[in-house]
């Protein structure tokens, strides 16, 4: 089952109200602390992912103005996630540890927020990596000595250097390891020393007094755009025209020289071909004028194994095989 929450007649929730649900099989949580008194109407839609049944409920949150707790402190719990801290049982465990640290039982949880909403980084999806949670508590009793040690110069120096901060002596009241706080991210707020908020500015009539003269701003000086036009339009056109002329010269004016060069090359090749033919005819003439019989290897169908010539083929077909393998497929024609 998944939930969708929004303020009535609005697409989203108020800025102080958050909603979280990790998985359709997990519970959904609405959490936050109102910043101003008033009434907020919230719509909740629940969708069954199996049957796609949908239901809608409306509930009203009424925030009443009360006196703020004068002493407040915010702690960062590194090994927790927001949906694991929101159940009342876990809040009770954290509250008990902070009561021991504050040395008072008159302690109230003021706000709980996710570290991702405060600019934290998304952790790696590995075991032992958590998002972290900020827990803010308040009390009417002044801060304990353990909390005041976070304001010392030595503590600030250790946190600035990035070294491992030592827990002040006698201030380790962490009963569950996952509920232990990060001392370097602990902040104390003393609302008794804060300056009062300045009064709101008075809203005037919006009409300028008569005594004041209004001087309208002067118009900007005129600017000559002709140099920009030359650089932007004329120069690229001139370059394009030059490139077009060079390309036309290469494509049309140089073709005659290329044709002449090709014709000269063809003439040289024909001359070599004619010379080869002439030399071949001359060698044949010289070989025919000899008195000795031509070698057997020059006779047609000569058998290099027996030294005999094969008898002429008696066939009516005008196509005579030139290779023994074409005449006798069982003969061995491979060289030895």
């Amino acid at each position: 089952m998944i939930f969708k929450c929004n303020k009535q007649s609005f697409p989203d929730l108020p800025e102080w109200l958050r909603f979280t649900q990790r998985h359709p099989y997990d519970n959904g949580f609405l959490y936050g602390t109102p910043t101003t008194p008033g009434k907020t109407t919230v719509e909740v839609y629940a969708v069954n992912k199996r049957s796609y049944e949908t239901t809608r409920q409306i509930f009203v949150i009424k925030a009443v103005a009360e006196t703020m707790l004068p002493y407040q402190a915010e702690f960062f719990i590194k090994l927790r996630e927001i949906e694991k801290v929101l159940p009342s049982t876990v809040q009770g465990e954290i509250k008990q540890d902070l009561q021991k640290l504050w040395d008072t039982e008159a302690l109230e949880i003021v706000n709980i927020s996710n570290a991702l909403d405060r600019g934290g980084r998304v952790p790696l999806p590995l075991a032992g990596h958590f998002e972290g949670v900020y827990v803010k508590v308040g009390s009417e009793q002044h801060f304990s000595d353990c909390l005041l040690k976070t304001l010392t110069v030595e503590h600030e120096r250790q946190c600035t250097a990035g070294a491992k901060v030592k827990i002040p002596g006698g201030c380790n009241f962490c009963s569950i390891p996952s509920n232990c706080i990060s001392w370097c991210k602990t902040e104390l707020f003393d609302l008794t020393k804060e300056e009062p908020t300045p009064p709101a500015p008075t809203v005037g009539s919006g009409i300028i007094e008569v005594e004041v003269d209004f001087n309208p701003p002067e118009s900007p000086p005129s600017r000559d755009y002709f140099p920009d036009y030359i650089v932007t339009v004329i120069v690229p056109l001139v370059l394009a025209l030059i490139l077009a002329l060079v390309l036309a010269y290469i494509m049309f004016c140089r073709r005659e020289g290329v044709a002449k060069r090709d014709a000269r090359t063809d003439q040289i090749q024909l001359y070599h071909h004619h010379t080869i033919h002439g030399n071949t005819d001359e060698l044949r003439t010289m070989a025919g004028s000899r008195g000795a019989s031509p070698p057997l290897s020059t006779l047609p169908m000569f058998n290099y194994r027996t030294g005999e010539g094969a008898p002429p083929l008696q066939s009516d077909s005008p196509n005579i095989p030139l290779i023994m393998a074409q005449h006798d497929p069982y003969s061995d024609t491979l060289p030895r």
Side-chain angles (χ1 to χ4, degrees):
M1 183 176 294
I2 60 174
F3 302 93
K4 296 180 180 180
C5 306
N6 63 280
K7 186 179 178 181
Q8 191 175 26
S9 303
F10 288 88
D12 205 350
L13 291 170
E15 59 181 6
W16 57 267
L17 191 59
R18 306 285 182 180
F19 173 75
T20 181
Q21 184 185 18
R22 296 282 180 176
H23 193 271
Y25 290 94
D26 297 337
N27 293 329
F29 292 95
L30 274 170
Y31 63 97
T33 302
T35 55
T36 56
K39 182 176 68 174
T40 303
T41 304
V42 179
E43 296 178 335
V44 179
Y45 294 88
V47 181
N48 191 329
K49 296 296 289 184
R50 292 181 178 177
S51 61
Y52 292 97
E53 295 180 357
T54 306
T55 184
R56 170 175 172 266
Q57 289 188 2
I58 297 178
F59 65 93
V60 179
I61 301 175
K62 294 181 180 180
V64 181
E66 290 186 359
T67 304
M68 296 291 292
L69 296 175
Y71 303 101
Q72 297 182 7
E74 188 175 58
F75 305 94
F76 178 69
I77 302 177
K78 183 179 180 180
L79 303 180
R80 282 291 191 179
E81 293 180 346
I82 187 65
E83 66 273 8
K84 303 298 183 181
V85 176
L86 291 175
S88 57
T89 55
V90 181
Q91 292 188 35
E93 297 172 355
I94 297 174
K95 186 177 178 180
Q96 290 178 3
D97 293 341
L98 296 180
Q99 285 175 348
K100 297 177 183 179
L101 180 63
W102 202 305
D103 195 14
T104 180
E105 294 184 358
L107 197 68
E108 298 294 336
I109 294 180
V110 177
N111 188 24
I112 299 176
S113 59
N114 191 354
L116 298 182
D117 299 333
R118 305 279 295 272
R121 299 180 61 181
V122 178
L124 296 174
L126 301 175
H129 292 76
F130 303 91
E131 296 175 355
V133 178
Y134 286 93
V135 178
K136 193 173 186 179
V137 297
S139 175
E140 294 182 354
Q141 183 176 342
H142 195 265
F143 304 114
S144 63
D145 295 337
C146 292
L147 293 177
L148 292 177
K149 290 181 180 179
T150 59
L151 302 178
T152 59
V153 179
E154 182 181 0
H155 177 81
E156 294 179 357
R157 186 176 64 253
Q158 291 179 358
C159 294
T160 304
K164 186 177 181 181
V165 179
K166 297 181 180 179
I167 301 175
C171 298
N172 187 11
F173 300 101
C174 182
S175 59
I176 301 177
S178 58
N179 293 337
C180 294
I181 64 174
S182 298
W183 285 93
C184 283
K185 293 186 178 182
T186 300
E187 295 186 19
L188 306 181
F189 303 94
D190 189 355
L191 302 184
T192 59
K193 297 180 180 180
E194 291 188 0
E195 298 179 358
T197 57
T202 57
V203 180
S205 61
I207 301 175
I208 300 176
E209 298 179 1
V210 181
E211 293 81 7
V212 180
D213 295 334
F214 176 72
N215 295 323
E218 298 179 357
S219 60
S222 60
R223 180 181 176 184
D224 187 10
Y225 292 96
F226 184 73
D228 297 339
Y229 174 76
I230 292 177
V231 175
T232 306
V233 179
I234 302 300
V235 174
L237 288 178
V238 172
L239 294 178
L241 181 60
I242 293 174
L243 292 177
L245 293 176
V246 173
L247 183 61
Y249 174 75
I250 294 174
M251 293 297 296
F252 298 101
C253 300
R254 300 286 295 177
R255 291 182 63 84
E256 183 179 355
V258 175
K260 290 181 180 179
R261 191 181 302 108
D262 294 342
R264 190 181 300 110
T265 304
D266 294 340
Q267 291 178 1
I268 294 173
Q269 292 179 354
L270 289 174
Y271 175 76
H272 284 293
H273 187 68
H274 178 72
T275 304
I276 293 172
H277 274 284
N279 295 338
T280 303
D281 294 340
E282 185 178 358
L283 290 175
R284 287 178 179 176
T285 303
M286 293 173 63
S289 61
R290 295 178 184 177
S293 60
L296 297 177
S297 60
T298 60
L299 297 178
M301 310 305 292
F302 171 73
N303 193 337
Y304 68 90
R305 292 182 179 181
T306 60
E308 299 178 356
L313 299 176
Q314 302 295 331
S315 176
D316 297 335
S317 174
N319 299 326
I320 300 176
L322 300 179
I323 304 175
M324 289 297 296
Q326 296 179 358
H327 176 68
D328 187 5
Y330 299 101
S331 63
D332 188 6
T333 59
L334 296 176
R336 294 292 185 267

